[in-house]
Amino acid sequence: MKKQILRFLGAVAVIASSASVMAATYTSHAYESVLNGIELDNACLTADRVQTIKALTVCEEKKEITLNDGINTATDFVCVKWSSQNLSYSRKYTTKECTKMVINEGDVSCKKYENKTRLLPQTIQVRTWTENKDYNNYPGSVSDFTFPNCK
């Protein structure tokens, strides 16, 4: 009986383990376009720049190729030259913001938009959620992320 219970608990552990392996965790924030592909855990800030902490492998040169399966033809690009680079982008970004709201019979609308220049803040809010094929906990949780200063 003990062996059967242990075997059952082992099977449950394997099932629980494989279920967690199939789950994926996602993050999102409002500054994806400012980071230009730099992951949060590889980003640091200076007074006016966001930079990579570690160099990234990036494609320096692409070659155009034509794909043809006999029915459809498509053009694609293949990287032919890679390099390791430290990336750096401005912390400044432009956003379109409503500067004059109008309330008409309970409906709220924007009457005037203006472009505003903003600076990527040192601390941002990040949403994290988990998904697998049967379940997701979106909207998940929101937490603060503080970028380290570049050395």
Side-chain angles (χ1 to χ4, degrees):
M1 182 68 161
K2 264 187 176 177
K3 281 186 180 181
Q4 287 175 325
I5 291 173
L6 290 174
R7 249 188 261 144
F8 174 75
L9 291 175
V12 168
V14 168
I15 291 168
S17 167
S18 61
S20 66
V21 169
M22 290 187 275
T25 300
Y26 299 94
T27 59
S28 69
H29 53 83
Y31 303 97
E32 303 280 350
S33 63
V34 183
L35 293 175
N36 288 297
I38 300 175
E39 297 291 331
L40 289 177
D41 62 354
N42 192 31
C44 64
L45 300 181
T46 67
D48 60 347
R49 311 288 294 170
V50 56
Q51 310 179 162
T52 52
I53 296 169
K54 296 177 188 167
L56 294 177
T57 302
V58 295
C59 182
E60 268 189 28
E61 185 181 333
K62 295 178 183 178
K63 178 182 175 186
E64 185 177 311
I65 61 169
T66 302
L67 306 169
N68 187 336
D69 64 3
I71 300 170
N72 298 307
T73 302
T75 301
D76 202 354
F77 294 89
V78 175
C79 189
V80 293
K81 185 177 179 187
W82 296 89
S83 69
S84 184
Q85 296 179 7
N86 284 302
L87 304 180
S88 178
Y89 302 105
S90 175
R91 285 177 64 180
K92 289 182 185 176
Y93 64 98
T94 303
T95 182
K96 193 175 194 176
E97 296 179 8
C98 182
T99 56
K100 187 170 185 180
M101 299 288 281
V102 177
I103 301 173
N104 185 11
E105 296 180 16
D107 290 333
V108 179
S109 61
C110 186
K111 188 170 183 170
K112 184 178 179 186
Y113 288 95
E114 289 182 15
N115 287 328
K116 300 281 186 173
T117 300
R118 301 284 182 221
L119 190 69
L120 174 67
Q122 189 86 33
T123 300
I124 65 172
Q125 289 195 324
V126 178
R127 179 174 305 284
T128 305
W129 71 97
T130 303
E131 291 183 7
N132 65 28
K133 70 177 191 152
D134 299 321
Y135 168 80
N136 77 64
N137 71 340
Y138 191 85
S141 62
V142 175
S143 58
D144 286 343
F145 175 85
T146 301
F147 291 98
N149 292 319
C150 297
K151 295 178 182 179

